[in-house]
Amino acid sequence: ASVESPARPDFEGALLPSEINSRQVAKWMDRKTRSVKVFVGYLLSGLYIAVMLGLAGYVYDIQDHLVEEYETVGKIAAAFLLGMVISGGCFVWEKLARKIVAWENPRTDDDFTQDLIWKLWPVQCVVAYNSFVYIAFFKRYTPTQCLNGNCLAEVRLNLYMTFASYACICVATTIVNAL
């Protein structure tokens, strides 16, 4: 026999006959309303990805100026800035995704977790890896090319800076949360 998962405490729905056992009553949300909310949630995910890609593109756009003006320090500053965009973007999206999924009103805790994973994974994957993929596979074909023609060294530098900026964000959040 199939067992029905209990509704989350903050689930908003109407008391209706259970979909598993019609003699029992359980909280359910109208499927159409839920579908519209999920669709809007995915639209917001796509919009966030577009904004983050735009920010990464902007960093690449100013990177040449920074390198021209400040040489190695400019390269490190651009990599650190890109790391902040990636780390900050993932951090902000995690907070937003939880609010979006809560607004979508999944019925059970398992549904909430599943919906959250499907909101977090695509966005964080694109935000976290787009710059590395660009540098490793495409930048050598652009007018700016890679630093000293070595794209892997540039990927490595950007990975270090992303890690450093992520560590800074984690420490800052820990301090802020402790206050």
Side-chain angles (χ1 to χ4, degrees):
S2 183
V3 177
E4 193 171 347
S5 297
R8 291 180 314 119
D10 55 347
F11 174 72
E12 297 174 8
L15 286 174
L16 299 170
S18 168
E19 291 183 354
I20 294 175
N21 181 352
S22 60
R23 287 180 270 147
Q24 292 180 349
V25 176
K27 273 186 172 181
W28 294 96
M29 181 181 201
D30 175 44
R31 287 180 197 257
K32 185 177 178 182
T33 303
R34 169 100 168 106
S35 296
V36 168
K37 286 185 171 194
V38 169
F39 178 73
V40 169
Y42 282 115
L43 282 178
L44 291 172
S45 299
L47 179 64
Y48 193 81
I49 287 173
V51 167
M52 294 310 298
L53 287 174
L55 280 173
Y58 177 72
V59 170
Y60 281 118
D61 201 34
I62 65 170
Q63 180 177 5
D64 295 333
H65 171 71
L66 290 172
V67 170
E68 183 180 304
E69 189 77 24
Y70 305 105
E71 298 172 3
T72 305
V73 174
K75 187 68 178 169
I76 292 171
F80 191 77
L81 184 59
L82 186 61
M84 292 302 286
V85 167
I86 292 169
S87 304
C90 288
F91 177 79
V92 168
W93 180 248
E94 185 176 342
K95 304 296 181 198
L96 289 174
R98 288 183 184 283
K99 292 187 184 305
I100 291 169
V101 171
W103 173 76
E104 289 175 357
N105 197 28
R107 187 174 175 283
T108 65
D109 287 331
D110 289 341
D111 292 341
F112 186 92
T113 302
Q114 189 73 18
D115 291 353
L116 184 60
I117 289 168
W118 280 105
K119 290 289 181 295
L120 290 175
W121 179 79
V123 172
Q124 289 186 342
C125 187
V126 170
V127 169
Y129 299 114
N130 79 73
S131 62
F132 307 124
V133 170
Y134 170 76
I135 294 168
F137 298 108
F138 302 109
K139 190 169 182 184
R140 74 182 72 213
Y141 305 111
T142 65
T144 57
Q145 297 195 343
C146 296
L147 185 63
N148 300 326
N150 188 348
C151 292
L152 289 180
E154 191 167 336
V155 168
R156 185 175 30 248
L157 174 65
N158 278 283
L159 281 169
Y160 290 149
M161 291 299 119
T162 300
F163 177 76
S165 62
Y166 183 72
C168 291
I169 286 177
C170 288
V171 167
T173 352
T174 304
I175 292 171
V176 168
N177 288 338
L179 298 177

